[in-house]
Every structure is written in structure tokens, then in C-alpha cells.
Amino acid sequence: MSSEVAAASAPAAAKTDGWEPKIVAFCCNWCSYGGADSAGMGRFQQPASTRIIRVMCSGRIDPLHVFNAFLEGADAVLVTGCHIGDCHYVNGNDKTKIKYKYLENVVHELGIEKERLQLNWISASEGEKFANFIRDVTAQIKKLGPSPLKPEGVA
Amino acid sequence: MQKGEMYVGWSTKEDVRKRGGSGGLVTSMLAAALEKKLVDAVVVLKKINEFEAVPIITSDVNEVLNSAGSLHSVPSHFAKLIANRNLKVALPAKGCDVRGIIEQGKRNAINLDNTFIVGLNCGGSMHPVVTREMLEVMYKIKPEDVHGEEIEKGKLIFETKDGKEHAITIDELEEKGFGRRESCRYCTIKVPNNSDIACGNWGVTGDLVGKATFVEINSEKGAKLLQNAVDAGYVQVQKPDEKGVAMRAKIKGVMEDLGKKWKGKVFVPIENGRLEYFRKELEHCIDCGACKTVCPTCSCGEVSKCTEYHSRGDAYKMSMYHLVRFLHLADACIGCGQCSDVCPVDIPLTRLYRRFANPVQEQLKYEPGMDMRKPPYFEVKLNE
Ligand SMILES: Cc1cc2nc3c(=O)[nH]c(=O)nc-3n(C[C@H](O)[C@H](O)[C@H](O)COP(=O)(O)OP(=O)(O)OC[C@H]3O[C@@H](n4cnc5c(N)ncnc54)[C@H](O)[C@@H]3O)c2cc1C
Ligand code: SF4
Ligand code: SF4
Ligand code: SF4
Ligand code: FES
């Protein structure tokens, strides 16, 4: 096993220099997507590492969307939505919260670093919070290097 | 008779007593339920040879009476057999069978009100293929020469056709990689109090040893089942002696502790290289789907989320099928061992699934199949 681990991490080390991680952020239509929008409108500095996928509610984010993002080469996946109590479908994010608990456990047990999967509640007016979040995650992932689930040949 | 009561009992029919695991009480109780129309059908094992048997659903009292015996190398599971059939049924069930049946009940695939679950105490079962190999390697006897098998005082004893007995301790067998299935070693449900009535030989004392079964009534249905068998003249019962009750409780405790110890031994934390470990173990998967088909807590049917992702897309480093199942089983896996048993390429699946299920079920304080509590996901409160 050890030689394979070495083989898997070798290109990782080489790539870290000047390498931009790919981060997939799931955002709900009513809050965190608005947050991303305000981040842009407010011209808050943020790296170009993020690919946003808009869903109607964070409750729509199926854990298998997250697995799929990793298998397709995401270096980190962010699950975001309205603050608890503010979900536009009453309790969608309560369901997100418990689904996330399972997901987080599975991803952790699998041996994926915890920085690669993160949950955050961001309102439509919290542009700065969104930008800071992306900046922080990008910095963390740059330190970690590419995801071990990234398929061969995918940047 | 009522919930909480304990008895020691046996079949009134001599041939059933003779064939029975210990007194034939279970067989006679099932037969009486059928005879007196408490149920329309009964599940029993039909023996093929000393190591194999198939479960059948029957409405023929004679077929039930002819079935008796405890088969330790038959790790079959009954939950899916009776699921989606809308039966009024009585059936024997090891702890893991009971858990599977309850989980199918929660998923509306089994109507538990119409299901009489006769729990069997269970110290463990063995894989038939491993049993044959064990006979040749450890016992140095041909599987075809075996005539009977029993477990006594920690020893697994095989009787050959020439009348000789061959005994080896289970500890020794398991040290060498034989004996009980791995999931049974760390299984902690030894007396199935989640069934309607729990039956076993622990707690039977004196002259009755080997000739009677100790029962504990766990529900109204269980009381009805036993009362019916007594009224029909199929079984005889008496109150157990205090010594027996204490002994049973003690063995139960010892076995549960042993299970916990095994759990620690099997699930040594893997600090580094977990992903590589899982990838390596799953490397030879041929995507046959058998592990999902047998899984007694799954009630998705043929078209399900995991099987939609059977074939490995592109250059994926892991199959979506297994990732989805790791997640879905995290709160649902009852550790029955069926998936490992059937995998054609011998992937130790139960061990893999439990790696995810152990922490999740501990964290959520949720033990599937032990009671009617719904999976925590369904307990989400509004704006909690
Ligand atoms: C695998 C196994 C392990 C057991 N371990 C213990 C133990 O450690 N301690 C204890 O006190 N009791 C244990 N028992 C229960 C005990 O051996 C007797 O089955 C019980 O006392 C009932 O005896 P009986 O004569 O009334 O049953 P019987 O009249 O012989 O009826 C037994 C019934 O169990 C069914 N059956 C047989 N084998 C299996 C199987 N593998 N899976 C599901 N159903 C089956 C048969 O179809 C039959 O209906 C175990 C039973 C099994 C099957
Ligand atoms: S998993 Fe538990 S209940 Fe099932 S056969 Fe093994 S020891 Fe018995
Ligand atoms: S995943 Fe395996 S051990 Fe768990 S319930 Fe399903 S078949 Fe049994
Ligand atoms: S039974 Fe084994 S080979 Fe078949 S899908 Fe499951 S893990 Fe793969
Ligand atoms: S609408 Fe934003 S979390 Fe439900």
C-alpha cells in the first residue's frame, strides 16, 4: 500500500507551485447564491478557484452530487445555504444539516482531509463573508494540494 | 402468559424433540401457529446437507414439523424473503434476522403486526464454504462423512458417520481464520429481545440440558404464540429455576463483552492511508450488485440510486455505487454479514460498511433494527 500512497502524492507535491485548486460550491438560490452575487457586486477580492452550482435550496444537495464532484476532480466541495431559520422552504437546511453529518463522517472515514468538505450558512447580503470563505478555503487547499480522488489527467 | 415472563419448554412430539436443536419447542410452536390459523404461513429451513439449507415459506404443517434443528453453518437471512409479500407469517430468526425484519417493517415492506418473530439466541453462524474447508484443514475429516454438529462448552463438535466425535475449541478455530463469520464475532445481540419471543438453550439446567429450550416473552404476540402452542397440546412448559435464569443472564453478559472485544480487534483505527485501503479492497469488484440484493435493510428494489452508478464512469478512482452505499448504510447497516458472504470476489464488505456505520451510529445513538425508532434523518425538527 505504501508505495501506492507515495505514487499518488508525488504529482501532488509537484503541482502545488502556482497551482489553482478547483472548488465546487453548491449555493442555494435564495441566500448563498445571493451572497456570491453580492461578493461580486461589492468587488471583494476572491480567487478564481470556485465553480458555483446553483440549486433552489441547500436541501436539494444530494450527497451523491458531492461524491460526483470529487470523482470528477474537485479539490474541495462547499455546501452552503441560508442561515438556520431563514430557509425559503421552511426547513430545507435543517435537513441539509443532518445529511451533512452523515456525509462529513463518510468523507472523513474515507480518508479525505476535512478541509475538502465544508458547510457554511451565508445570507444574500453577506458578500464579504462569502468572499472571505472562498479565500480561506482556497488557501487551505493550496497547502493540501490536489485531491487524492482526482482522476488521472485532470488538472 | 404475558410479556416479560420466562419459561422452559419442549415439544410434545417425540420425533420433533429428537430432531430439534434443543427440545423442538420452536418447531412445534411454529407448527401450532399454522395449525390453529394464527398465521397463514411459516418460514423454515429445508436441509440440503449438513452444511446447507434453503429457507422455504410453507403452509404445510408436516413440512414445518419435519424441519427442526439448529444449523450453524447456514447464515441465510429471512427479512427479504418475506418482504413485499403481505404475509401473515411466523418465522424463526437469529438476532440479525430480527433486525432486518424490523428495518423492513420501518420501510413498510413488512407488516410487523402480522409477523410473529420467534427469536433464536445466537452465538454465531458459519459460512458453509469456510466450514467445509475447516473440516478438511482443522478436523482432517471429509465434509461428506459428517453426520451432525453441535456447540458445547466453547467447542465445535462434529459427529462423523462412524459415530466418532471430533471437537476443537472455537477460539482455536478462529485464531486460524475459521469458525464463526467475522460479523458474528463482534455481533452484540446474543439474546434477541427485539423479537416477539426469545428462544435458546442458555438457562436450561439439570436433566433438561439439550432437551428443552428457554424462552423469554418479549411482546403480546410472543405470549399469544406460546399460549397457542400450549393450548394446542404441541408444547409443554414449566417455570425455569432461579439458577437457570441467572446463568442465562451471565452468559449473555459474557458473550456481549466478548463481542465488544472483537469489535475493537477488527476495527483498529487506520490513521493514514484510509482511502488507499478502501480503494485496494474494492479493486476487484465486478459490479454484480449481489451485496445490495442481499442487504436486509435495503428496500429500494431493482432500480435504485446506487445501482444507477454501477459501471465506473470515466477514470473515477472509486465507484459511485460503493460511495452511495457507504453513505446509505451508515445509519442502516445492522452488521449481518450477508454482503461479505455473497461477494463473488471475496471483498470483506461488512468490515468496510461498518467502518462508516460504527462512528455514525455511535454518534447518533441509533441502533437500527433494535426497536421501531426511525432513522435520525426523519427526526428533523423544524428550525431546530
Ligand atoms: C446459528 C444458531 C446459533 C445459535 N446459538 C445459540 C447460542 O449461542 N445460545 C443459545 O442459547 N441458543 C443458540 N441457538 C438457539 C438454539 O440452538 C435452538 O435453536 C433453540 O434453543 C431452539 O431449539 P428448538 O429445539 O426449540 O428449535 P427447533 O425445533 O430445532 O427449531 C429451530 C428452528 O430454527 C430454524 N433454524 C435453524 N437454523 C437456522 C439458522 N441458521 N438461521 C435461521 N433459522 C434457523 C429452523 O428452521 C427451525 O425452524 C442458536 C441457533 C442457531 C440457528
Ligand atoms: S450476526 Fe449476530 S445474530 Fe446474526 S448470525 Fe451472527 S451472531 Fe447470530
Ligand atoms: S451492508 Fe452488509 S452487513 Fe450491513 S446490513 Fe447490509 S448486508 Fe448486512
Ligand atoms: S458483491 Fe462484491 S463484486 Fe458484487 S457488487 Fe458487491 S462488492 Fe462488487
Ligand atoms: S432556500 Fe436556502 S437553504 Fe433552503
Side-chain angles (χ1 to χ4, degrees), chain B residues 49-317:
Chain B
N49 56 41
E50 290 302 325
F51 318 103
E52 282 149 307
V54 284
I56 50 163
I57 302 176
T58 177
S59 297
D60 177 351
V61 176
N62 283 322
E63 202 156 28
V64 177
L65 288 172
N66 281 325
S67 70
S70 301
L71 300 164
H72 294 106
S73 58
V74 182
S76 57
H77 203 101
F78 297 159
K80 272 202 160 158
L81 184 73
I82 59 165
N84 300 310
R85 286 182 191 245
N86 206 12
L87 293 168
K88 198 159 188 200
V89 69
L91 76 169
K94 308 176 293 296
C96 54
D97 288 305
V98 185
R99 296 181 74 174
I101 293 164
I102 290 177
E103 286 303 301
Q104 290 290 333
K106 287 183 201 171
R107 290 159 179 72
N108 298 325
I110 290 176
N111 180 351
L112 294 173
D113 293 336
N114 285 338
T115 310
F116 291 80
I117 312 172
V118 179
L120 301 174
N121 293 358
C122 187
S125 58
M126 302 179 294
H127 194 290
V129 175
V130 177
T131 308
R132 282 171 187 274
E133 202 186 317
M134 172 179 76
L135 280 164
E136 302 204 0
V137 176
M138 300 290 292
Y139 289 80
K140 315 267 185 242
I141 49 183
K142 284 207 192 84
E144 299 74 45
D145 293 340
V146 171
H147 180 60
E149 153 257 318
E150 64 176 329
I151 293 172
E152 214 185 278
K153 298 205 173 85
K155 283 184 182 156
L156 177 61
I157 307 162
F158 286 97
E159 194 189 317
T160 37
K161 285 176 184 151
D162 56 13
K164 283 197 190 121
E165 284 193 346
H166 311 255
I168 301 182
T169 64
I170 293 176
D171 286 345
E172 187 185 340
L173 293 171
E174 288 178 359
E175 238 165 66
K176 302 269 161 63
F178 296 102
R180 295 171 301 165
R181 301 176 306 144
E182 187 176 273
S183 51
C184 295
R185 299 178 194 168
Y186 58 77
C187 168
T188 47
I189 174 162
K190 295 298 160 189
V191 171
N193 288 111
N194 50 350
S195 66
D196 291 312
I197 183 166
C199 308
N201 45 38
W202 291 334
V204 178
T205 53
D207 292 344
L208 287 176
V209 170
K211 300 191 187 92
T213 276
F214 188 113
V215 300
E216 179 178 356
I217 300 174
N218 298 320
S219 72
E220 262 172 53
K221 266 187 287 158
K224 212 160 139 186
L225 206 57
L226 187 58
Q227 187 71 57
N228 172 70
V230 172
D231 292 348
Y234 275 61
V235 306
Q236 245 174 348
V237 295
Q238 66 184 40
K239 285 271 168 202
D241 55 23
E242 267 172 45
K243 203 176 113 204
V245 175
M247 204 165 86
R248 177 174 176 268
K250 192 175 155 203
I251 305 177
K252 175 178 180 270
V254 169
M255 290 297 288
E256 284 171 357
D257 288 345
L258 213 64
K260 280 181 203 138
K261 264 197 208 125
W262 263 110
K263 197 170 172 183
K265 258 204 265 189
V266 174
F267 298 102
V268 179
I270 307 172
E271 295 301 339
N272 294 310
R274 285 202 292 278
L275 186 66
E276 281 312 310
Y277 164 74
F278 288 112
R279 285 190 57 197
K280 190 107 202 130
E281 290 287 15
L282 294 172
E283 203 168 56
H284 299 294
C285 171
I286 55 170
D287 289 316
C288 69
C291 48
K292 183 241 171 199
T293 306
V294 291
C295 182
T297 68
C298 168
S299 66
C300 291
E302 299 221 332
V303 179
S304 48
K305 206 175 256 182
C306 61
T307 46
E308 286 293 294
Y309 298 95
H310 245 341
S311 49
R312 228 158 291 192
D314 304 325
Y316 286 3
K317 287 207 167 161

Side-chain angles (χ1 to χ4, degrees), chain B residues 291 294-297 325 329 332-340 349-350 353-354:
Chain B
C291 48
V294 291
C295 182
T297 68
R325 279 187 54 75
L329 269 306
C333 175
I334 55 168
C336 67
Q338 298 289 308
C339 46
S340 290
L349 288 159
T350 309
Y353 286 124
R354 292 306 313 177

